[in-house]
Amino acid sequence: MEQNILRQEMWESAAKAGLILGLISTAYMFINMWIAANPGFLGSILSLILWVAKFVGCILVMKASMKKFAAASPEIENKDTFNFGMATALLSALVYSAASFANVAFISGDVIAEQFNLTIQQMSSMMDSNSMAMMDTYLQKLPQITFFSNLIYCTAFGTVLSFILSRNIPSRDPFANYKPDQQ
């Protein structure tokens, strides 16, 4: 029973943390699209600064949420914190992948298709009819490809991050089992 309560608390906390992380990445995606519409040196610098802020911010949010989860229950071990981090990574990846899918399929679909078709026209002299047909199929499946590739990448990145962070959350006492010599 206690294990089920811990598991339920883990998923509830992971859902909150995953939503925050997913929204940070989604906001970055849309802000970066707006910056890319105005290219230039300042836009490149701003995009780089924004990427670093998102990267560091996501790591700090993950670490803080893992510490908060570990502090909520004293019986939590490092493997529980790792499982929490993996759940957070998966849920965050779902939020970001869904937003990315919506962006490619509905929001920016026309712009992406236009750029894709322009590239195909420029490369058409080097491609045969089979390659052209395959590229059309690729364009039609681009939202699904975007969703699953982001889901896999973000989940893998979050899992590695949670593995690294969970090694010290909660802190382990290396001298917990130490007993001085009895003389």
Side-chain angles (χ1 to χ4, degrees):
M1 180 72 171
E2 189 173 310
Q3 184 69 11
N4 288 338
I5 292 171
L6 179 64
R7 201 175 289 267
Q8 182 180 357
E9 289 175 9
M10 180 191 76
W11 280 101
E12 287 175 6
S13 298
K16 292 174 189 173
L19 182 63
I20 291 169
L21 287 169
L23 291 176
I24 289 171
S25 297
T26 300
Y28 166 77
M29 176 179 65
F30 286 115
I31 292 170
N32 202 35
M33 285 174 45
W34 178 74
I35 292 172
N38 303 313
F41 179 72
L42 185 61
S44 298
I45 295 297
L46 189 58
S47 181
L48 177 67
I49 291 169
L50 204 59
W51 179 84
V52 169
K54 177 200 70 131
F55 186 76
V56 172
C58 285
I59 292 172
L60 293 175
V61 167
M62 177 72 100
K63 184 176 183 178
S65 63
M66 290 173 84
K67 282 186 174 186
K68 184 178 177 183
F69 176 70
S73 300
E75 71 274 0
I76 296 234
E77 297 176 3
N78 298 91
K79 68 177 182 164
D80 298 319
T81 308
F82 174 67
N83 290 337
F84 169 79
M86 281 183 33
T88 301
L90 175 66
L91 297 172
S92 169
L94 278 172
V95 170
Y96 178 69
S97 297
S100 183
F101 174 85
N103 182 40
V104 173
F106 306 113
I107 300 169
S108 300
D110 296 337
V111 174
I112 292 170
E114 184 179 317
Q115 290 174 347
F116 192 82
N117 288 331
L118 212 104
T119 304
I120 295 295
Q121 287 176 0
Q122 291 175 350
M123 308 263 313
S124 64
S125 63
M126 294 183 273
M127 293 194 288
D128 61 355
S129 61
N130 290 332
S131 299
M132 295 288 282
M134 189 172 91
M135 295 305 273
D136 286 337
T137 304
Y138 175 79
L139 181 61
Q140 292 171 359
K141 294 182 180 182
L142 188 60
Q144 293 89 344
I145 292 169
T146 300
F147 177 83
F148 287 111
S149 62
N150 280 325
L151 183 67
I152 292 167
Y153 171 75
C154 293
T155 302
F157 179 80
T159 300
V160 170
L161 179 62
S162 66
F163 176 74
I164 293 168
L165 294 175
S166 70
R167 297 181 52 80
N168 293 318
I169 302 173
S171 297
R172 290 182 269 167
D173 183 6
F175 302 109
N177 296 328
Y178 175 73
K179 295 179 184 176
D181 291 339
Q182 307 242 339
Q183 294 180 351

